[in-house]
Each structure stands twice: as C-alpha cells, then as structure tokens.
C-alpha cells in the first residue's frame, strides 16, 4: 500500500480504538479485515473515516447530548 | 387516483437464533432446510458451492414461495409473490411463517420478530456464518460482511410508469419518518447501543464500499437532491463500476475489466470469466439491462422490467442520453414496481403495518408529495441521517417529528381507503406507536432493562 493509504488505514484503526464504547466490535472486525482482503484506495479510506466520524459525532450530539 | 389493481409483495427477513440467543451456524441451517423441505417443495442448492441455501415452499393455493438465507445463515428471508390485497398477502405470509416456525421450534431455534441479534457474534468469527452462495463470491463490495447481522421487511408496490419518478423521490424523502416509527435493533453485542437501529449503521458503513471511485450514497444513503428524471436516476446509480456480474444460464459471469454499467451496455463483446475461472465472452443483452436497473440499494428502489419486443439496448441508451426515458418506458414495461427498503423486521402481529403504510402513501401520492414539499430536501435528508438515533424524539427543520408522523399516517389511511378493501385496519400499530411516542426499539430497551437478556429474547421471539 502507498504511504498515504497506510497512514489513512492506521487512522481508521485509531478511530475504532478510541471509540470502542460507541462502535461495536463486529464493525471493527469487518472493517479492518476488509483492508486485508482488498487493498483499499485513498477515496475508500476517506469514506470510511468520514462515515465513522459522522456516526460518532451524531451519537455524541443526538444520543448523548 | 384510486388504483385497485396495484399489487403488493412482501419480502420479510428475520433472524434465526439458538435458544440462548447466540447465532446458528452452517450445520444448523442445513438441519433447518432439511427439516423444512417437505414433499412437493423444491430444494435450492447453489450451483457453485453445492450447498443448500434455500427452498421453494408449495402453499395450499398451489403457489410456490421462495425462502433462503441472506448474507448470514442466521437471516431467514421469504420473498412472497405480489398479491391484490394486504389480506391476501397476509394469508400467504401466515402460511409460510407457520411452516418456518414449526421447523424452528422442532430444532430448538428462536425465530425473531425483531431485526436484532442481541448477542451478535460475541466470541465468534463472523465470517464463518456467511451463506455459501456464488453471488457473494461474485460481488464487488469489500465490506459486504457488514450485512451479516441485518434483517429488513421490504414492501413491493406496483406503479404505473408515470408514477415512478414521483414515487421514488417522495418515498425516499419520507424514509426517515419510517425509521422513526419502526426502528427496532437497539441491542447488539449484549448491550444497548447508542442508536435505535443498528441496521442503518451497517448500511452506512457498507456504502463506503462504493467509494473506491470517490462516489457517494449509492448503496444506502439518501441522494443529495431529488431525481429530475429517470435518466437522471440511472446515471446516478450507474456511476460506479459493476457491483454484480451478469447472469448467463443462471450462473454469474464477470467481465475481465472494470466497467461502469453504461460502458458495459455500450459495448458489443467483453472478454469475461465464469466463477469456475473459464474464459468466455459477454455480449450485452436486455436481461443485463434489467439486472443493472436494479443494482441500487436506496430506500425507494424502482424495479423496471423492459419488454423484449419493445425495447432495444441502443434505443434505451439513446433515450438515456437524451433524457427522454420517462416517455420512452411508457408501454414498454412488463413489470414496474417500487421496493421500499427502509423498514426493519416488524414485531410479531405488526408485520403488515409498514406494508400498509407504504401502500397507502403510494396510493395517495399527490398528498404525500404535498407533505414532502413542506420541508426542504436537505431537511428530509437530515432526518434520514439522524432518525435511527433520535427515533420518535427526532425533528425535521425546527418541528417535532410526531405531528409529521400523524399526517403521514392520515395520508396512508386515506390512500388505503381509496382501495375500498378495509386495509386501513393494518395501520393500527402505526397509530399506537405515534400515540405512545414509542417505536419497537424503545419497547425493546425497556424490556432489556427490566428483564435482562433472557426476558428480551422471550419478548422478541415468535411463539405462534
């Protein structure tokens, strides 16, 4: 994987690590495994980061706000 | 306008679990099918894996109805034929469910009336539970395994050609209201989630599979604007490369190169391989067009089946380019309906509520359009994006959602009354939810807090 892609995949893992109270383990397993099964593109990783961040922000705003 | 000939079809998915609420495995589902299939029924074994993945059940009316497991072996799906009325659809559904429940009870399984896997895959590898279908070997969706613990209740409603665009825009706009009313998957991995519909989080994350080309929203999320025409719709859903391969004699065949649907349809012959690895060629056909036209998984999904005697690929592509498909399809379809995909599995005894709501809205489309026009598309989109967290406590614009839900139910009731079949009785659970300001997820959380996992499992399991 190119350096920028590796760094974005790492960012996904960090988001999942830092939000274990919100994102279930099942999602973590499938998302991280998918990077092993299929080399993600930068666009794809950006999308995963965006959707995860949106979900977490929405939970903080609407469910816990 | 009254349209009594409008048919309604039910596609119901429900979880099958062990008595302790853990998931059933590959061996269990084989036991299930072998016990379920009786004389006169048909077995459905996958051509590639050889594994039994479903059955066709012969009903007392002589019709065959299809059952299979969806992505996970723990998801039992029944696809029931379209019927003239909700009463007729319910009769067929009751017969199939009785057969399913009989087999489940015999094997000590729970058949759930909610879209939840309360214990999910805790301590297990989810990949061991994927249905062994060739389709999944052929699918171009990297995070498709997110779909393992998901069940929905979808309703198919027949449309006239001139209603398609309005129906998909209107029902798509209203999808957030359906989630407010019907969310029911709040327990996952033995705990209460910070949202009421886990299923939609799965879909949102699955949608990232389409982003390999920087595209958004095709698989689940609401488009950023309503569609202006059918050509606009097709161009929107066909921006990514092929998600599904083509079918030849019931078997999947993949083009060797990455192609968008439009590129594929414009070609003459494409080098390809079947799933056994054998080289072959694909020549685009009208059947391919029919398959490609349903390769979208948005909440309000049109199914258009083109008449082979009246449509050619060249003409279709010319009309697509000229933005004249809305006129072109008139009189050229052998089937035309909308699949409304937003509802989760319904609690026992309330299964016909969402089909009734959807049918009533489509049958009173002009009034439903007026409700949609009261708010901006961005407001509806925001509701769709938040409804699975807020449930009945949601807002649209600055307004509480509950009065909007009341209006929605009134529109559906009026629409059903136009059919003069007494189908409005099926809306009762919807009215109760609005009156109590509680959706099934809220009730589920109450039961879990009061009675724990054992009490919850009993609450969500079918007994008859």
């Amino acid at each position: 994987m190119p350096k920028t892609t590796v760094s974005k995949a790492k960012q996904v893992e960090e988001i999942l690590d830092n939000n274990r109270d919100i994102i279930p383990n099942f999602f973590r397993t499938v998302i991280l495994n998918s990077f092993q099964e299929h080399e993600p593109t930068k666009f794809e990783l950006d999308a995963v980061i965006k959707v995860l961040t949106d979900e977490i922000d929405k939970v903080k705003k609407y469910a816990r706000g | 306008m009254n349209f009594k000939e409008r048919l309604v079809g039910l596609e119901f998915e429900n979880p099958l679990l062990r008595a302790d609420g853990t998931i059933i495995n590959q061996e269990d589902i084989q036991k299930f099918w072998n016990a379920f299939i009786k004389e006169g029924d048909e077995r459905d074994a996958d051509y590639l894996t050889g594994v039994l993945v479903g059955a066709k059940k012969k009903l007392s009316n002589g019709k065959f109805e299809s059952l299979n497991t969806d992505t996970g072996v723990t998801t039992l799906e029944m696809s029931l034929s379209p019927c003239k009325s909700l009463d007729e659809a319910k009769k067929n559904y009751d017969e199939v469910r009785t057969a399913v429940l009989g087999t489940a009870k015999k094997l000590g399984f729970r058949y759930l009336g909610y879209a939840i896997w309360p214990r999910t895959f805790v301590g297990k590898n989810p990949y061991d539970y994927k249905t062994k279908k060739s389709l999944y070997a052929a699918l171009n969706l990297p995070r498709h395994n997110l779909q393992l613990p998901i069940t929905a209740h979808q309703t198919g409603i027949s449309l006239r050609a001139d209603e398609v665009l309005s129906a998909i825009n209107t029902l798509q706009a209203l999808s957030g209201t359906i989630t407010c009313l019907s969310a029911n998957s709040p327990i996952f991995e033995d705990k209460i989630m910070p949202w009421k519909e886990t299923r939609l989080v799965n879909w949102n994350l699955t949608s990232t599979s389409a982003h390999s080309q920087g595209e958004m929203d095709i698989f689940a999320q609401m488009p950023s604007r309503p569609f202006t025409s059918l050509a606009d719709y097709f161009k929107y859903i066909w921006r990514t490369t092929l998600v599904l391969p083509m079918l030849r004699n019931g078997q999947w065949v993949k083009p060797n190169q990455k192609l968008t649907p439009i590129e594929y349809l414009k070609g003459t012959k494409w080098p390809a391989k079947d799933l056994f690895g054998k080289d072959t060629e694909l020549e685009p056909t009208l059947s391919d067009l029919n398959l490609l036209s349903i390769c979208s998984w948005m909440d309000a999904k049109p199914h258009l089946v083109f008449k082979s005697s009246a449509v050619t690929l060249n003409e279709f592509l010319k009309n697509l380019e000229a933005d004249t498909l809305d006129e072109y399809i008139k009189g050229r379809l052998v089937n035309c309906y909308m699949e409304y995909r937003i509802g989760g599995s319904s609690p026992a005894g309330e299964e016909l509520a969402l089909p009734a709501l959807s049918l009533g809205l489509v049958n009173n489309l002009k009034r439903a359009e007026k409700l949609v026009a009261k708010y901006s598309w961005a407001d509806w989109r925001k509701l769709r994006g938040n409804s699975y967290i807020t449930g009945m406590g949601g807002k649209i614009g600055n307004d509480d959602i509950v009065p909007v839900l009341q209006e929605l139910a009134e529109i559906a009731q009026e629409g059903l009354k136009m059919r003069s079949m007494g189908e409005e009785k099926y809306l009762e659970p919807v009215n109760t939810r609005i009156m109590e300001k509680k959706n099934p997820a809220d009730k589920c959380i109450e039961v879990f807090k009061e009675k724990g996992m054992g009490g919850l499992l009993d609450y969500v399991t079918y007994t008859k």
Side-chain angles (χ1 to χ4, degrees):
Chain A
M1 269 197 265
K3 263 188 187 171
T4 49
T5 318
V6 172
S7 139
K8 281 183 186 292
K10 188 77 191 155
Q11 198 184 336
V12 171
E13 198 169 346
E14 280 169 12
I15 293 170
L16 292 166
D17 281 345
N18 295 336
N19 292 281
R20 283 178 186 266
D21 60 327
I22 295 177
I23 304 294
N25 192 51
F26 169 73
F27 290 79
R28 177 190 169 80
T29 305
V30 174
I31 291 167
L32 295 181
N33 279 8
S34 76
F35 299 160
Q36 305 300 317
E37 296 155 2
H38 145 98
E39 190 173 309
T41 62
K42 178 182 166 296
F43 284 126
E44 205 178 331
L45 287 163
D46 281 339
V48 174
I49 291 166
K50 183 178 184 312
V51 173
L52 280 174
T53 309
D54 282 354
E55 298 300 331
I56 292 161
D57 288 349
K58 277 193 274 185
V59 165
K60 287 178 180 166
K61 183 173 177 186
Y62 295 105
R64 296 184 182 169
Chain B
M1 178 184 286
N2 195 2
F3 181 29
K4 279 189 184 173
E5 294 75 22
R6 201 185 295 284
L7 305 179
V8 58
L10 308 177
E11 187 179 323
F12 284 177
E13 300 158 350
N14 291 74
L16 258 184
L17 303 178
R18 288 172 179 272
D20 65 356
T22 56
I23 48 184
I24 63 162
N25 62 22
Q26 302 279 358
E27 195 182 329
D28 291 330
I29 195 64
Q30 292 304 309
K31 280 184 200 162
F32 177 88
W33 289 126
N34 283 310
F36 179 78
I37 297 167
K38 304 279 190 298
E39 199 180 331
D41 299 341
E42 291 176 10
R43 298 163 70 85
D44 181 5
D46 187 86
Y47 78 88
L48 183 74
T49 65
V51 172
L52 195 54
V53 293
K56 286 193 175 57
K57 184 82 191 158
K58 190 173 185 183
L59 300 195
S60 54
N61 61 13
K63 276 187 186 173
F64 282 89
E65 300 290 6
S66 293
L67 290 98
N68 68 91
T69 49
D70 206 319
T71 308
V73 295
T74 63
T75 299
L76 194 72
E77 176 180 56
M78 51 179 84
S79 308
L80 307 177
S81 311
C83 293
K84 287 181 180 169
S85 69
L86 287 170
D87 283 346
E88 188 189 341
K90 182 177 184 301
K91 191 166 174 260
N92 292 347
Y93 161 67
D94 283 344
E95 189 174 342
V96 177
R97 193 197 63 236
T98 299
V100 166
L101 196 54
T103 306
K105 279 184 176 174
K106 193 172 153 190
L107 295 171
F109 299 160
R110 289 178 183 272
Y111 183 62
L112 265 53
Y114 268 68
I116 61 172
W117 275 252
R119 312 199 66 191
T120 326
F121 295 95
V122 176
K124 295 187 170 72
N125 178 1
Y127 293 12
D128 292 341
Y129 298 83
K130 193 153 185 174
T131 298
K132 294 186 184 301
K133 281 185 191 173
S134 50
L135 168 66
Y136 302 136
L139 206 57
N140 174 26
L141 275 182
R143 278 166 290 291
H144 183 253
N145 288 316
L146 287 163
Q147 305 280 303
L148 282 161
I150 284 187
T151 56
H153 276 193
Q154 293 138 3
T155 309
I157 300 163
S158 57
L159 299 174
R160 291 189 302 262
D162 61 5
E163 294 175 323
V164 176
L165 186 65
S166 168
I168 60 174
N169 280 332
T170 305
L171 276 283
Q172 182 65 61
L174 294 173
S175 59
T177 61
I178 306 296
T179 302
C180 291
L181 280 168
S182 67
N184 75 7
S185 48
I187 316 287
F188 201 75
E189 296 185 350
D190 288 351
K191 60 188 179 196
I192 299 171
M193 290 288 110
W195 46 67
K196 297 175 190 233
E197 190 79 321
T198 306
R199 191 172 59 90
L200 292 189
V201 186
N202 296 53
W203 267 108
N204 290 345
L205 283 161
T206 306
S207 75
T208 62
S209 298
H211 291 222
S212 53
Q213 296 160 80
E215 298 294 356
M216 305 279 287
D217 303 341
I218 292 173
F219 292 94
Q221 306 187 23
M222 191 162 154
S224 57
R225 58 172 177 77
F227 298 112
T228 56
S229 65
L230 276 181
D232 185 38
Y233 168 76
F234 280 115
K235 285 179 179 174
Y236 181 86
I237 67 164
W238 285 348
R239 290 175 302 165
T240 58
T241 50
L242 300 177
V243 176
L244 285 177
M246 298 300 113
L247 273 170
R248 291 293 180 271
N249 302 316
Q251 301 195 358
W252 299 105
V253 179
K254 293 173 90 164
N256 290 350
Q257 66 188 97
K258 285 191 171 182
L259 297 164
T260 66
I262 294 176
E263 286 167 344
Y264 172 76
L265 291 171
K266 280 183 175 171
T268 47
K269 278 187 181 172
W270 297 105
K273 275 189 173 46
D274 66 18
L275 294 188
F276 298 100
K278 190 180 158 197
D279 287 323
T280 181
E281 279 185 332
L282 278 167
E283 196 173 325
T285 66
L286 199 64
S287 298
D288 295 338
L289 171 63
N290 287 332
L291 178 66
L292 289 168
S293 78
I294 57 167
C295 282
S296 124
W297 287 266
M298 284 187 295
D299 303 329
K301 167 179 169 175
H303 288 242
L304 307 179
V305 183
F306 298 96
K307 205 185 273 183
S308 58
S309 58
V311 174
T312 66
L313 287 183
N314 273 344
E315 277 178 12
F316 176 89
L317 289 166
K318 266 187 205 167
N319 282 279
L320 177 72
E321 206 45 51
D323 198 4
T324 48
L325 275 184
D326 301 73
E327 272 304 307
Y328 178 70
I329 65 165
K330 289 178 186 167
R332 291 186 165 89
L333 299 172
V334 286
N335 198 359
C336 177
Y337 69 97
M338 184 191 68
E339 178 191 352
Y340 204 27
R341 306 171 41 78
I342 186 65
S345 313
S346 289
E350 301 185 3
E351 301 92 329
L352 271 289
L354 285 187
L357 185 67
S358 314
L359 178 61
L361 291 171
V362 171
N363 213 45
N364 199 3
L365 200 52
K366 290 290 171 203
R367 198 174 155 199
E369 282 172 6
K370 285 180 188 161
L371 171 60
V372 170
K374 286 184 181 177
Y375 299 93
S376 70
W377 187 264
D379 286 336
W380 291 111
R381 195 165 186 251
K382 192 172 176 191
L383 178 72
R384 164 66 170 81
N386 300 335
S387 54
Y388 63 93
I389 298 176
T390 60
M392 296 289 226
K395 281 185 177 291
I396 179 157
N398 293 319
D399 298 339
D400 287 341
I401 198 63
V402 172
V404 176
L405 300 178
Q406 281 166 338
E407 187 173 348
L408 188 84
E410 283 166 19
I411 296 169
Q413 176 155 314
E414 196 175 84
L416 291 172
K417 279 185 174 169
M418 288 179 200
R419 286 166 54 87
S420 311
M421 295 180 186
E423 295 171 315
E424 51 278 11
K425 67 187 174 200
Y426 292 113
L427 287 175
E428 197 184 319
V430 171
N431 294 325
T432 305
R433 290 176 204 176
I434 296 170
M435 194 179 67
E436 294 178 349
K437 297 184 184 174
K438 281 182 188 171
N439 59 29
D442 297 318
K443 292 197 173 176
C444 206
I445 292 168
E446 283 174 6
V447 172
F448 185 64
K449 283 181 176 170
E450 193 186 326
K451 299 181 178 172
M453 182 58 77
L456 172 72
L457 285 167
D458 288 344
Y459 178 71
V460 298
T461 300
Y462 273 94
T463 54
K464 58 179 184 177

